[in-house]
Amino acid sequence: MRRSLLILAVLSLAVAAPVQAMQGLAIGGRAGTLGVGAEAAFLLNDWLALRGGAGLLGVDADLTSVSRLAENRTGTLALPKSIYTFGADINVGNFRIGGGMLYKERDPAYAIRLGDGAEIEIGDGTYTEPDVTTLTTTLVSEAWAPFVLIGFGQNTSRGLGLFLDVGVAFLDHPALEMSATGRRSVLTSRSFRDDLRAEQQSVREDAGDLVNYWPILNLGLRFAVGGRDRRSREWR
């Protein structure tokens, strides 16, 4: 969490810059792993811009066809309802280097739902619907996470333009938690709890270091007023 507090402190200093220093404003829309939404960039000079955005993700994606599940099962991925980002970009030639903080509403969760009479292996045990009806794995982490990115497409140039962001957010204290629904007498038994813990540990080992990161890949369109003319270094 110290890393998150440090980045927040840096951003606070940047936001405290005098309003007179603002050279322009860019607004736009974006789509990608941070959702579909909008953002704004405040252009301070020809190399620094403050950015903030919000994206909607809150949909449940049916992954049954790509999860290689046995018959009579469905797999659903529930994504965060929305993701907000606050940060700054430094322009380096035709590229950008950026960083800041990400805030997510709700943790992502993958649920396997069993149809009538379907079986599922959990740990060392095999369970049949309706003894177990769903098995859910949730990637739990702190709501705030620092991120870094590299960008293509200047946000300090006037007019209309495309931009691409590629980066990663570093999830704070990530953990995989597993839960189930079904018959209460089964779910509260010691043997099932042991099997569930064993399955959770197995999934965690398979995931490895991937649980520590949230990928950032955004494609967007922005329009800037003020800023620098693409054909010169003059600010208008």
Side-chain angles (χ1 to χ4, degrees), residues 87-205:
D89 279 1
I90 297 175
N91 293 278
V92 181
N94 293 322
F95 303 96
R96 290 176 286 107
I97 300 173
M101 294 296 294
L102 171 153
Y103 177 83
K104 57 181 174 63
E105 290 187 337
R106 192 173 71 177
D107 293 311
Y110 177 68
I112 298 176
R113 291 177 172 80
L114 279 64
D116 294 342
E119 292 185 345
I120 187 170
E121 293 183 1
I122 302 175
D124 295 327
T126 300
Y127 299 88
T128 305
E129 192 278 339
D131 289 342
V132 173
T133 55
T134 64
L135 181 66
T136 302
T137 303
T138 304
L139 175 56
V140 178
S141 66
E142 297 292 337
W144 289 92
F147 70 85
V148 294
L149 59 82
I150 59 173
F152 305 88
Q154 295 291 332
N155 51 24
T156 56
S157 298
R158 289 188 289 121
L160 192 66
L162 293 172
F163 67 89
L164 175 68
D165 294 327
V166 180
V168 63
F170 304 92
L171 300 181
D172 202 0
H173 297 96
L176 286 176
E177 295 185 357
M178 192 168 285
S179 61
T181 61
R183 293 190 190 277
R184 180 176 176 81
S185 58
V186 174
L187 302 184
T188 57
S189 67
R190 181 173 181 178
S191 59
F192 178 81
R193 295 199 304 269
D194 289 343
D195 284 336
L196 190 64
R197 281 194 294 269
E199 185 69 20
Q200 179 175 298
Q201 181 62 29
S202 176
V203 172
R204 177 63 182 87
E205 292 174 355

